[in-house]
Amino acid sequence: MVEECNSPVPGQMMRRPLLISSLLRHADRYFGQREIVSRNEDGSIHRYTWRDCHTRTRRMANALSALGIRMGERVATLAWNGYRHLELYYAVSGSGAVLHTLNPRLHPEQLAWIINDADDKLVFFERSFLPLIAAIAPLCPSVQAFIMLGSRADLPAHASMMTYEELIGAHGGDYTWPVFEEDAASSLCYTSGTTGHPKGVLYSHRSTILHSYSSVMPDAMNISARDCVMPVVPMFHVNAWGLPYTCALAGAKLVLPGCALDGRSLYQLFEEEGVTFSAGVPTIWMGLLDHVRANGLRFSTFKRTMIGGAACPPAMSDAFRDDYGIDVVHAFGMTELSPLATTCTLQAQHMSMTKAEKRRVLQAQGHVLYGVDMKVIDDDGAELPWDGESSGHLMMRGQWVMDSYFKQPPGGALRDGWFPTGDVAVIDADGYMRITDRSKDVIKSGGEWIGSIELENIAMTHEAVRLAACIGVSHPKWDERPLLVVVRKQGAVLDRDTLLGFYEGKIARWWTPDDVVFVDALPIGPTGKVLKNRIREQFRDHRLPTVRA
Amino acid sequence: MVEECNSPVPGQMMRRPLLISSLLRHADRYFGQREIVSRNEDGSIHRYTWRDCHTRTRRMANALSALGIRMGERVATLAWNGYRHLELYYAVSGSGAVLHTLNPRLHPEQLAWIINDADDKLVFFERSFLPLIAAIAPLCPSVQAFIMLGSRADLPAHASMMTYEELIGAHGGDYTWPVFEEDAASSLCYTSGTTGHPKGVLYSHRSTILHSYSSVMPDAMNISARDCVMPVVPMFHVNAWGLPYTCALAGAKLVLPGCALDGRSLYQLFEEEGVTFSAGVPTIWMGLLDHVRANGLRFSTFKRTMIGGAACPPAMSDAFRDDYGIDVVHAFGMTELSPLATTCTLQAQHMSMTKAEKRRVLQAQGHVLYGVDMKVIDDDGAELPWDGESSGHLMMRGQWVMDSYFKQPPGGALRDGWFPTGDVAVIDADGYMRITDRSKDVIKSGGEWIGSIELENIAMTHEAVRLAACIGVSHPKWDERPLLVVVRKQGAVLDRDTLLGFYEGKIARWWTPDDVVFVDALPIGPTGKVLKNRIREQFRDHRLPTVRA
Ligand SMILES: Nc1ncnc2c1ncn2[C@@H]1O[C@H](COP(=O)(O)O)[C@@H](O)[C@H]1O
């Protein structure tokens, strides 16, 4: 039975593939009564349970197979965070097809390009996207059907499309989830690169399950069956950071806020549904904080939030922690990383620190979760020391790190087996990583790097600043010098020199921006992040006052 | 690139085998300074870090290969919880060999039988086991070397054995962990069945890693990098419930208490090392509670404990919670389940309950962790309802559930793909499982089952009772009737009728034991559990007063 040669002997444990369908089966069987609450496009609330979700998902799986969808084929969604979108997450991936989540904030031509690149067979969409679909459909001949997420009654008179509820109604819930290799593709998400066409990241069932296991850990999202979780991050943005999966794994109640992401609507859901944990990008939280501040409101159940997708300004985490008693977990991730790679929580060695010291630790992007590995390297590929000072290119590898973009050959995106994130970071002796910049956002002044994120963060601690972006502007002597572009808070008064004076003593003098420009708004991209490349274009010819004529 | 046939398309994520060596590499790289503290056999304290552990482990891996140990071969340990044992955990499994942990509390002949059955090539042992090894060695011709966990100076003058420290000293730390299939066997643990020979359970790298991921979850052990963990459960008992692995995964400090498991020694470590979490069987905690009570002591850092391996008497969890403010997580597991299958924590629906109601919920063995699945069936194999009342045979399956015993053919231990635990349980509507008995301990009275565990638990809430075991004794009319065997607390006064009267109103009248016998001690098995089969033998001919002559 047991061979004595120099190769491993197999263990004698059960061996079942790690499949996404098992998450929903688990949620149904063990947390069948736990609720899923969704806000519909019309503002009404839909409420059912993980068990109901499983029943309808199996009906949809039957519908997909009746529509001729085969394993590996792509099925797209153009949808908000809601229960039908959740059902498609499980119905499509669970049946062996690939869920392709489209970002509705992209331009129609870009959407059509992506749909064609992915070769999507079906596109499920929200009612409000009917005009968008009308624009896209002629450009996407390979799509077999555009299906509206609603019932026939919701469809305008002239429209002849299929509807989601008719499909659900036409198929029974008798369906057995197929068992296949865990390396099978489960979902596809395009990253909106700043140059060239968007590129697809093709997740597998295995990478999704391992990412989910690691996400619920106490030092990550810390999700239990006592939690009520609201993913504010959209389900079309890296699978809402995996929350549709992790909540099923942990047995949490799920609150899906639909398209109403303004402060008032979110606050209402937080309070009415008893949300304990939420996750999203900084720009969304700004709206929420503005709303609660303006109305003198408090949170009664909200305890922890994960903020990531862009650097969380310290002023924001301070506001959450100090003013509202909400724990902030700063996290770093990207589409190519499923997305969660690092989270920032305290460790044993920090427990005796002062509040200010802890605060400083918690501003980093944090430590890796077991399953991924990181390093920083210099331009020649040599690994840099973990001294909290040596900044270099951040490289990642691990169980839920992309190997190659969709349609690229294996390993196509890697360098010596590591994925280059395109971020610049330092790592300290405790293994805490701090992003100092995007590689392309770094400001090179006199051969040295200036971290634009730190300059922005400092500006945003000023009481009159709402939003700040720092870019490099060309300078004849120093090559580049920092320019700060600022949106003031409503009614606030602030001038250039006051703001520049504000930097004194906070950074090396030569890091101080050379100029400040006040604007009414900053361009925000489809995933809620400030678009620095747009700002750079806009101020390409800005003449710094430090340049002598 | 992407095929359009009806088979899944592979995802494009990195794919690396789940190997135990990656846990130690992670702990070194990201938690290198975190401590591992061990109490040696002589009572002295050894202290080093995860980084030091990794260095010495690689030296030992080189030593193993120099000793000719090949992949898949078994290397045995006869050792307490200590740093050298920990190094062997990683050196043996990490290099592709199989770590076989022997239980030193077994009889020498049984140990020899197991060593021969496993075909162990090396046996590493603690100094105090020298006499035991002298008895075993002649019976185990295939063992190539018995190696003492110590240095030459620790060896008696006449002994000519190899020592661990000489091996470490003779080999460098330059070693690259081999990469092999994750299904490879990693460790072997024999269960001391009550009948027949012990049987081996052969874990794999994959099952160990998945078990570790699930163990750190908030609703399981809830371990973070802020924790200091003391496994009181021995490393020879189902890998100390996986803690040597999970602590590396989570970056926790590890405290290994050696052989001194008495209340005083444990208490000292709890306080001096700042232990926050610990895990063990009920009998061990009894000694600790006795010690702190007798000396009026308090715990200053101890916050949570996991109790399992045998039913945790409610009186014990009450004492921990109410008297010492320590959270108790009741857990169910077995060697064949790696061992963790269910843990008992509260869920959202319990949060509004009264303290007494919560207490009742927390007495169950709990809910499954994602990755395993359970059901209860009747004698004919039909699944029973989850009504909290229908008791049946508990069946398990999942990622870290055994498929077949060592040397058995695949699936050899299963019934329709499920592993029969040999336990009798009920499951309630919320998916909480409650063990009512071992199949073989169940008392059959008039065709109905009486749960011996509940009768024991009630007895143990009586202030004069230290330990109680309930067995079935034959009865001409009812087939079997319960007999209670009781150890009184030191100096306590209690008679038969008082104790039987204590049951009134607490259970159905016909469940009340027919008789009580007071004894000085109960037989405890090698894993710290009360040996009911021995008690049954002892009282086989006990004449119940309810039997009319
Ligand atoms: N929490 C628990 N309550 C009751 N019995 C338990 C519990 N945990 C483990 N056991 C028993 O211990 C057996 C496993 O023994 P072992 O394989 O030696 O760990 C199980 O089959 C149960 O009978």
Side-chain angles (χ1 to χ4, degrees):
Chain A
M1 186 75 30
V2 175
E3 287 178 313
E4 300 295 349
C5 65
N6 206 9
S7 75
V9 165
Q12 292 182 255
M13 306 302 285
M14 287 192 192
R15 169 61 151 110
R16 359 185 88 227
L18 298 165
L19 296 179
I20 285 174
S21 55
S22 72
L23 291 168
L24 185 54
R25 240 197 342 234
H26 176 76
D28 171 350
R29 190 164 169 87
Y30 297 102
F31 307 103
Q33 297 307 313
R34 193 79 78 253
E35 281 182 317
I36 297 166
V37 177
S38 312
R39 192 195 287 276
N40 299 319
E41 274 196 323
D42 65 4
S44 64
I45 295 288
H46 176 272
R47 191 180 293 277
Y48 72 168
T49 65
W50 279 106
R51 182 152 304 151
D52 301 330
C53 174
H54 191 199
T55 304
R56 280 174 49 98
T57 296
R58 282 173 294 180
R59 286 166 170 259
M60 184 43 62
N62 276 325
L64 291 172
S65 118
L67 287 167
I69 298 302
R70 293 182 299 176
M71 286 199 166
E73 287 186 332
R74 270 75 62 203
V75 172
T77 58
L78 201 58
W80 310 119
N81 292 8
Y83 67 101
R84 293 190 186 108
H85 203 177
L86 183 69
E87 288 161 14
L88 285 168
Y89 259 60
Y90 285 101
V92 175
S93 303
S95 63
V98 176
L99 178 84
H100 176 200
T101 49
L102 293 163
N103 186 338
R105 299 208 183 97
L106 296 175
H107 292 288
E109 305 80 52
Q110 214 171 2
L111 278 172
W113 186 92
I114 292 176
I115 289 170
N116 291 330
D117 189 63
D119 195 14
D120 294 327
K121 297 296 177 225
L122 305 174
V123 177
F124 288 88
F125 65 95
E126 304 274 3
R127 188 181 193 289
S128 63
F129 297 139
L130 269 166
L132 181 59
I133 293 297
I136 290 172
L139 308 173
C140 304
S142 73
V143 173
Q144 290 161 14
F146 291 87
I147 302 167
M148 199 194 69
L149 295 170
S151 51
R152 180 133 300 265
D154 302 323
L155 215 54
H158 62 277
S160 64
M161 283 144 163
M162 270 192 252
T163 68
Y164 189 88
E165 293 304 328
E166 284 171 296
L167 283 174
I168 290 272
H171 294 89
D174 202 5
Y175 182 86
T176 307
W177 295 109
V179 175
F180 43 81
E181 304 94 83
E182 64 192 30
D183 290 316
S186 58
S187 54
L188 177 65
C189 191
Y190 278 73
T191 56
S192 37
T194 45
T195 55
H197 279 301
K199 285 173 273 184
V201 180
L202 192 65
Y203 308 106
S204 71
H205 284 258
R206 175 181 166 103
S207 71
T208 303
I209 300 289
L210 293 178
H211 179 264
S212 303
Y213 263 130
S214 89
S215 300
V216 295
M217 292 203 285
D219 277 324
M221 291 180 170
N222 191 21
I223 298 178
S224 77
R226 289 172 295 291
D227 278 309
C228 172
V229 176
M230 174 151 75
V232 170
V233 50
M235 287 167 73
F236 54 77
H237 187 195
V238 218
N239 302 323
W241 300 357
L243 285 167
Y245 307 118
T246 42
C247 289
L249 190 157
K253 172 176 170 181
L254 192 54
V255 180
L256 302 169
C259 57
L261 302 185
D262 61 289
R264 166 188 301 281
S265 306
L266 286 181
Y267 179 78
Q268 195 191 359
L269 277 181
F270 271 106
E271 289 301 301
E272 286 179 2
E273 299 304 330
V275 173
T276 58
F277 175 76
S278 186
V281 296
T283 40
I284 281 293
W285 298 129
M286 203 159 285
L288 180 68
L289 283 175
D290 285 351
H291 176 73
V292 292
R293 269 195 202 117
N295 296 281
L297 302 169
R298 308 293 306 168
F299 292 100
S300 45
T301 57
F302 189 21
K303 286 195 198 74
R304 299 182 325 279
T305 177
M306 176 164 281
I307 304 186
C312 173
M316 175 173 288
S317 36
D318 289 350
F320 271 118
R321 274 193 211 107
D322 302 339
D323 304 345
Y324 298 97
I326 293 168
D327 258 356
V328 173
V329 181
H330 194 192
F332 167 79
M334 53 195 298
T335 310
E336 291 87 339
L337 306 175
S338 294
L340 216 55
T342 69
T343 56
C344 201
T345 57
L346 296 176
Q347 298 180 351
Q349 70 272 24
H350 304 123
M351 299 322 284
S352 56
M353 283 184 165
T354 64
K355 202 179 147 202
E357 288 167 331
K358 285 182 184 163
R359 187 172 161 276
R360 167 86 189 139
V361 171
L362 290 171
Q363 283 166 12
Q365 273 69 17
H367 45 77
V368 295
L369 302 172
Y370 168 72
V372 292
D373 208 359
M374 69 179 170
K375 65 175 180 180
V376 281
I377 59 171
D378 65 18
D379 286 338
D380 303 325
E383 184 167 0
L384 294 169
W386 289 16
D387 55 9
E389 288 187 359
S390 306
S391 75
H393 307 286
L394 178 66
M395 312 291 284
M396 290 274 175
R397 66 175 178 194
Q399 297 291 351
W400 49 91
V401 176
M402 190 194 67
D403 173 81
S404 52
Y405 289 101
F406 187 51
K407 296 181 177 175
Q408 270 189 0
L414 309 188
R415 192 170 148 186
D416 297 332
W418 292 77
F419 173 73
T421 61
D423 287 294
V424 177
V426 298
I427 304 178
D428 72 15
D430 285 332
Y432 280 65
M433 185 272 288
R434 199 177 285 264
I435 300 275
T436 56
D437 236 317
R438 288 289 298 165
S439 303
K440 58 184 188 304
D441 290 343
V442 122
I443 300 165
K444 280 221 177 109
S445 175
E448 300 276 355
W449 287 1
I450 294 179
S452 64
I453 293 178
E454 187 157 353
L455 294 179
E456 291 159 5
N457 281 346
I458 291 173
M460 280 192 272
T461 60
H462 191 288
E463 52 174 15
V465 173
R466 185 172 200 282
L467 212 51
C470 190
I471 56 166
V473 171
S474 65
H475 188 285
K477 180 167 175 196
W478 301 111
D479 205 15
E480 274 186 353
R481 287 296 300 160
L483 165 68
L484 197 66
V485 185
V486 171
V487 181
R488 275 176 288 224
K489 282 199 184 139
Q490 236 183 334
V493 179
L494 178 69
D495 63 20
R496 179 184 174 281
D497 291 340
T498 313
L499 186 51
L500 291 181
F502 187 67
Y503 280 97
E504 221 163 286
K506 298 197 172 80
I507 42 160
R509 190 177 288 270
W510 67 275
W511 273 44
T512 312
D514 278 23
D515 201 4
V516 179
V517 178
F518 295 97
V519 295
D520 288 339
L522 291 176
I524 306 283
T527 58
K529 303 183 196 179
V530 171
L531 293 176
K532 286 220 201 164
N533 52 331
R534 280 263 211 99
I535 303 175
R536 264 193 297 267
E537 257 167 52
Q538 201 181 335
F539 291 95
R540 197 198 329 241
D541 303 323
H542 182 82
R543 200 179 158 78
L544 293 171
T546 49
V547 178
R548 276 142 229 260
Chain B
M1 187 75 31
V2 174
E3 288 177 310
E4 302 295 351
C5 65
N6 206 9
S7 76
V9 166
Q12 293 183 255
M13 306 300 286
M14 288 191 193
R15 170 64 152 108
R16 357 185 89 228
L18 298 165
L19 295 179
I20 285 173
S21 55
S22 72
L23 291 167
L24 185 55
R25 240 199 339 237
H26 177 77
D28 171 349
R29 189 163 170 89
Y30 297 101
F31 307 102
Q33 298 307 313
R34 194 80 77 252
E35 282 183 316
I36 297 166
V37 177
S38 311
R39 192 195 288 275
N40 300 318
E41 274 196 322
D42 66 3
S44 63
I45 294 288
H46 176 273
R47 193 180 293 275
Y48 72 168
T49 64
W50 279 107
R51 182 151 305 150
D52 301 331
C53 173
H54 191 199
T55 304
R56 281 174 49 97
T57 297
R58 281 173 296 181
R59 285 168 170 258
M60 185 41 64
N62 276 324
L64 292 172
S65 118
L67 287 167
I69 298 303
R70 294 183 298 178
M71 287 200 167
E73 287 187 333
R74 269 76 62 204
V75 172
T77 57
L78 201 57
W80 311 119
N81 292 9
Y83 66 102
R84 293 190 184 108
H85 202 176
L86 183 68
E87 289 161 14
L88 286 168
Y89 260 60
Y90 284 102
V92 175
S93 303
S95 63
V98 176
L99 178 84
H100 176 199
T101 48
L102 293 163
N103 186 337
R105 301 208 181 96
L106 296 175
H107 292 289
E109 304 81 51
Q110 213 171 2
L111 277 172
W113 187 91
I114 292 177
I115 290 170
N116 291 330
D117 188 63
D119 195 15
D120 294 328
K121 297 295 176 227
L122 303 174
V123 177
F124 288 88
F125 65 94
E126 304 275 3
R127 189 182 192 287
S128 64
F129 297 138
L130 269 166
L132 182 58
I133 293 297
I136 291 173
L139 307 174
C140 305
S142 75
V143 173
Q144 289 161 15
F146 290 88
I147 303 168
M148 200 193 71
L149 295 170
S151 51
R152 180 132 302 264
D154 301 325
L155 215 54
H158 62 274
S160 64
M161 282 148 164
M162 270 194 252
T163 68
Y164 189 88
E165 293 304 328
E166 285 171 297
L167 284 174
I168 291 272
H171 293 90
D174 201 5
Y175 182 87
T176 307
W177 295 110
V179 176
F180 43 80
E181 305 93 83
E182 64 192 32
D183 290 317
S186 59
S187 53
L188 178 64
C189 191
Y190 279 72
T191 56
S192 36
T194 45
T195 55
H197 278 300
K199 285 174 272 184
V201 180
L202 192 65
Y203 308 106
S204 72
H205 285 259
R206 176 181 165 104
S207 70
T208 304
I209 300 290
L210 293 178
H211 179 263
S212 304
Y213 263 129
S214 89
S215 300
V216 295
M217 292 203 286
D219 277 323
M221 291 181 171
N222 191 20
I223 297 177
S224 77
R226 290 170 296 290
D227 278 308
C228 172
V229 177
M230 176 152 74
V232 171
V233 51
M235 287 167 72
F236 53 76
H237 188 195
V238 218
N239 302 322
W241 300 356
L243 285 168
Y245 306 119
T246 42
C247 288
L249 188 158
K253 173 177 171 181
L254 193 53
V255 179
L256 301 170
C259 58
L261 302 186
D262 60 289
R264 166 187 301 278
S265 306
L266 287 181
Y267 179 77
Q268 195 190 357
L269 278 182
F270 270 105
E271 289 302 301
E272 286 178 4
E273 299 304 330
V275 173
T276 57
F277 174 76
S278 186
V281 295
T283 41
I284 278 294
W285 298 127
M286 205 160 278
L288 181 69
L289 283 176
D290 285 352
H291 176 73
V292 291
R293 269 195 203 116
N295 297 280
L297 303 170
R298 308 293 307 169
F299 293 100
S300 45
T301 58
F302 190 19
K303 285 194 200 74
R304 300 184 321 282
T305 178
M306 176 166 278
I307 304 186
C312 174
M316 175 172 287
S317 37
D318 289 351
F320 271 117
R321 273 193 212 110
D322 302 340
D323 303 345
Y324 297 97
I326 293 168
D327 257 357
V328 172
V329 180
H330 192 193
F332 167 81
M334 51 193 305
T335 310
E336 291 88 339
L337 305 176
S338 295
L340 216 55
T342 70
T343 57
C344 202
T345 57
L346 296 176
Q347 298 181 351
Q349 71 271 24
H350 304 123
M351 299 322 285
S352 57
M353 283 183 164
T354 65
K355 203 179 147 201
E357 288 166 332
K358 285 183 184 164
R359 187 172 162 276
R360 168 85 189 140
V361 171
L362 290 170
Q363 284 167 10
Q365 274 68 16
H367 45 77
V368 296
L369 302 171
Y370 168 72
V372 291
D373 208 359
M374 69 180 172
K375 65 175 181 180
V376 281
I377 59 171
D378 65 18
D379 286 338
D380 303 325
E383 184 167 1
L384 293 169
W386 290 15
D387 55 10
E389 287 187 359
S390 306
S391 76
H393 307 286
L394 178 67
M395 314 291 283
M396 289 274 176
R397 67 175 178 194
Q399 297 291 351
W400 48 91
V401 176
M402 190 194 66
D403 173 80
S404 51
Y405 288 102
F406 187 52
K407 296 181 176 175
Q408 269 189 0
L414 309 188
R415 191 168 148 187
D416 296 332
W418 292 78
F419 173 74
T421 62
D423 290 292
V424 177
V426 298
I427 304 178
D428 72 15
D430 284 332
Y432 281 66
M433 184 271 290
R434 199 176 283 267
I435 299 275
T436 55
D437 236 319
R438 289 288 298 165
S439 303
K440 58 183 187 303
D441 291 342
V442 121
I443 301 166
K444 280 223 176 108
S445 175
E448 300 275 356
W449 287 2
I450 294 179
S452 64
I453 294 180
E454 186 158 351
L455 294 179
E456 291 159 6
N457 281 345
I458 291 173
M460 280 191 271
T461 60
H462 191 287
E463 53 175 15
V465 173
R466 186 172 200 283
L467 211 53
C470 190
I471 55 166
V473 170
S474 64
H475 188 287
K477 177 164 178 204
W478 301 110
D479 203 15
E480 274 186 355
R481 287 296 301 159
L483 165 69
L484 196 68
V485 185
V486 171
V487 182
R488 276 177 288 226
K489 282 198 184 141
Q490 234 182 335
V493 179
L494 178 69
D495 63 22
R496 178 185 176 283
D497 290 339
T498 313
L499 186 50
L500 291 182
F502 187 66
Y503 279 97
E504 221 161 286
K506 298 197 173 80
I507 41 161
R509 189 177 288 272
W510 66 275
W511 273 43
T512 311
D514 277 24
D515 202 5
V516 179
V517 178
F518 294 98
V519 294
D520 287 338
L522 291 176
I524 305 282
T527 58
K529 303 181 196 183
V530 171
L531 294 176
K532 286 221 200 162
N533 51 332
R534 278 264 211 97
I535 302 173
R536 264 193 297 267
E537 257 167 52
Q538 200 181 335
F539 292 94
R540 196 195 332 240
D541 303 323
H542 183 81
R543 199 179 159 76
L544 293 171
T546 48
V547 178
R548 275 141 230 262

